[in-house]
Amino acid sequence: MKFLFTSLLITISLMGFAQKTQLSGDVSDSKNTKLAGINIILKGTKWGTTTNQDGFFSIANLKEGEYVLQASGIGYETLSQKVKISDGNNSLTIQLKEASTELQTVEITGRKETEYKNNATFIGSKSATALKDLPQSISYVTKELIQDQAAFRVNDVVKNMSGVSQFTFYNDLTIRGHRVSGNDNYSMLVNGMRAFTSFWKQQLIPHIERVEVIKGPSSALFGNAAAGGSLNRVTKKPLDEKRQSFNISMGSFANFRTTADFTGPMNEEKTLLYRLNVGYENSGSFRDLQFEKNYIIAPSFSFLPNHKTRINFDIVLQNGDSRLDRGQSVLGTGDLYSTPISKSLNRTNDYLKENVYNATVSLNHKFSNRISFNTSFMRTSYDEDLLEHRSANTYAKDAAGKLIDSQVEMQVFIRKRTFNVDNISNYFNINVDLGETAHKLVIGYDYAQEVLAAGGSQLTARGYRNATNTGSINTYDATKKANYLLDAAGNPVPNVAHYDLKATNPYFLADMSKYFYQRTDYPSTFYSTQGIYLQDQITYKKLQVLLGLRQDYFTDLENYTTSTENKVTQKALIPRVGLVYTLNNHINAYGTFVKGYQPQTSTAVSNVNAGGPFDPLYSTLYEVGTKTDWFDKRLTANVSIYQLTVDGALYNAGISGQPDLLTQVGREVSKGIEFDIIGQLATNWNLIVNYSYNDATFTQSKDETLIGRQKPNAPKHQGNIWTKYVISKGNLSGLGIGLGTNFATERLGSIVAAGAAPQAIPAYQLLTGAIYYKVGKCQLQLNANNLSNTTYWVGGYDKIRMFPGSPRTWMLSINYAI
């Protein structure tokens, strides 16, 4: 009896254990890479676990029955599925999709794709939004296209973005006919944050994941923003897998570049990731006396302690040594071919030394699947140390005051200054379902300030010597000849020797002690902008509605840190409305209305000689278009039609002796159409095509001669085609070829005195090509630009300041990636 009772207890116990079982499995991404740190829970129960470094998970002692399993992880869409647990071991294979709607203010973990096409953006709505669902045009260039075209600077890649072109060969662009340039931290962003950048030097991109441009004013999100658009550089972020790459490039005009990119996890759990990008350049130029010596160091760290919290820290350190090139001057006849495009106005001892750093720390925390908080802080510091010989924007004068069209009147600047920019961004992302509508709310506050540090000043040598040769007079007045020192021919003696455009060898080491200088001090300046904003992305069936409203406040402290300090304030209420309608699985139609606001004071333009304060710049954008995808979403094709109205833009006043003086002209309207194709026609065939028609003219002005005139450096037609094909089979496997062409129609130079016609800049079309050969992990690459050796100009002000493009060049690169 005792034996039977014991046997019964054992049987009952075994039956109890048999009712409990185990669930195990592995988790991978769409490329079958095993994913660590993925949270696995059985909803409505206490059971859950996390995948190990091999993507494996196991949950023991489960009761038989049906459960809802949920798998979630940073950067991946949450997966929910029903599972039926039966007696014994149960195994699952789970595949997660990369998230396209992960809400964060900046990209914390790196982009793993290796193609020209990008699917989502953070700049357009302060949350990751599919480009197809954003009711505004955004153009972009990824690091893959940057590498294939052997590009090293932003200006090298803007031809790939519709409606974007160079204004000069500085950090200075035209977007939809409106100027966007460095020194204006409202138009140049890094990871969606305001960053002070050099005006003189094009921005380096060896550490950049992609360059993107949001077209039109984005003031509803970022406050005072440029009317034409904002350019955002997205830095490369850490990956959770080990990757390394090296590049060495050599080419025309003694160009030498080398870059390296290292990334991966720093611990087994992959909760601490790193990335390090470095770059070095020592290059000459087709322009006489010009060179570039630059280095960049860009470390980035991501800490992912759990699936709810992420912390990122980025630093970008840049050092540049070069000469400031003010462009080509031609004879007074205006013939652009009358002087070589290689001729510069520099002296041998000119220099431009710049140091820039950006440091960013950001935190993203998800309180729940519906609520997350994002905060970022960025500090930017820019130091400029400059010595330059440049034109005084006019030709030399003889005794009668007549212009000598073969000699350029010169001036010298010696300048030092430092700018510091701080900005903070804070906002909540909240997902709410109300009936049949889904809402993505963004509620935020941001603050930015710019300070010109104390001690900035400039020495200027210009004009003509006075009669006693003890000083100088800025301009020559022939009616007061007795006030000037005259040479043997009776002509006034310049303070800085004129530049002879016909001289065979005009370059030499200048004696800086021979000039008479005037000192201009840059008193410390301060301005700040802050705003609160609310945005709602509403989805109802096939319709998406984006509504945004921002209250912006601008403060400028005149006579900063002095006893006469005066606080000047402005404010603006800025709306944004957008609609997206899904016509079918391939086509979205959209429309948008956006207002723009941009304060303009002498502080904001960072130049005491600019002539401010100025009234704010206001802008209005109307835009409609379609966004489509084809070939299993490998290729996108987008069309946009727009009208952009701008009131109050600043232009050089064209006043002799006051080269930095600005003036507000009136109203400008740009109307046009843009067309973009980007992606893959096949796995080994990449393509990018863009075209824009832009009619940008002055429609209202106090100077009636401007009405109807084309805006400066705003081509009516421009376009680009680039394609790359790689042979994937046979004896030629690994061999690739790239071909491209880009063009721009005639443009006009800067506004000049009333009644005078601006300089015409000729149309051009260029051809480019490349050959690639990949063996294992190594790729050889030969790029050739301007194959036809066309003489052309990317932009210009007038016949004294034209900006020629490079003649035919080649670049040989060796890339090694593991």
Side-chain angles (χ1 to χ4, degrees), residues 464-473 495 516:
Y464 294 85
R465 301 291 178 96
N466 62 22
T468 58
N469 201 22
T470 57
S472 63
I473 304 171
N495 185 19
F516 295 110

Side-chain angles (χ1 to χ4, degrees), residues 29-76:
D29 62 14
S30 59
K31 298 180 180 178
N32 293 319
T33 302
K34 303 302 182 185
L35 300 177
I38 300 299
N39 295 288
I40 306 294
I41 64 171
L42 298 179
K43 296 186 68 174
T45 76
K46 63 181 180 180
W47 289 300
T49 187
T50 303
T51 58
N52 65 14
Q53 64 267 25
D54 298 317
F56 178 79
F57 71 90
S58 178
I59 304 174
N61 298 325
L62 295 174
K63 293 182 179 180
E64 294 183 21
E66 289 190 353
Y67 298 86
V68 175
L69 179 144
Q70 180 175 289
S72 62
I74 296 171
Y76 297 91

Side-chain angles (χ1 to χ4, degrees), residues 370-389:
R370 293 184 176 273
I371 302 176
S372 64
F373 175 68
N374 311 273
T375 182
S376 296
F377 170 77
M378 172 182 276
R379 155 60 68 94
T380 302
S381 182
Y382 168 83
D383 292 306
E384 177 188 76
D385 185 4
L386 171 70
L387 165 61
E388 66 163 331
H389 287 73

